[in-house]
Amino acid sequence: DTHAPAVEQAVPIVTTMAKAYTRGRGFDGNIPNDETAAVITTAAARLAANGAQTSTTKGTAHSSRELRSFFTGWTIAEQIVLNRYRVRAL
């Protein structure tokens, strides 16, 4: 699997970001609950899928492939989940 090293690097990065965003809520120590783990999985997949973290086009004279997906922050769905645990100022 060509993405395995990227995924192994992305998961702890995104986990740390999620824990910081929620100020530790949604975690039991360093273990995320199921909802937070789902956010970590989807965000880490985006981060790992495009190591360059920019839009790129690769190709030959006969075909090309564009990579447009990269991690630019939490998606709306991820934010909805994380905001359930986030501590906000009143």
Side-chain angles (χ1 to χ4, degrees), residues 76-90:
I76 292 171
E78 292 164 351
Q79 280 185 334
I80 289 168
V81 173
L82 292 177
N83 284 343
R84 290 182 48 160
Y85 300 98
R86 187 171 189 190
V87 177
R88 295 179 183 233
L90 298 174

Side-chain angles (χ1 to χ4, degrees), residues 62-81:
H62 302 291
S63 68
S64 67
R65 182 178 90 165
E66 286 189 62
L67 292 174
R68 294 187 195 179
S69 177
F70 48 92
F71 186 82
T72 58
W74 307 115
T75 65
I76 292 171
E78 292 164 351
Q79 280 185 334
I80 289 168
V81 173

Side-chain angles (χ1 to χ4, degrees), residues 6-90:
V7 171
E8 290 174 7
Q9 293 172 351
V11 169
I13 292 168
V14 175
T15 300
T16 300
M17 290 170 32
K19 193 170 184 181
Y21 187 88
T22 64
R23 294 181 176 98
R25 294 189 181 204
F27 288 81
D28 184 8
N30 287 323
I31 307 299
N33 65 22
D34 290 344
E35 293 174 346
T36 308
V39 169
I40 291 166
T41 299
T42 58
R46 276 197 323 285
L47 180 60
N50 184 352
Q53 294 300 293
T54 61
S55 294
T56 57
T57 302
K58 297 179 181 183
T60 65
H62 302 291
S63 68
S64 67
R65 182 178 90 165
E66 286 189 62
L67 292 174
R68 294 187 195 179
S69 177
F70 48 92
F71 186 82
T72 58
W74 307 115
T75 65
I76 292 171
E78 292 164 351
Q79 280 185 334
I80 289 168
V81 173
L82 292 177
N83 284 343
R84 290 182 48 160
Y85 300 98
R86 187 171 189 190
V87 177
R88 295 179 183 233
L90 298 174

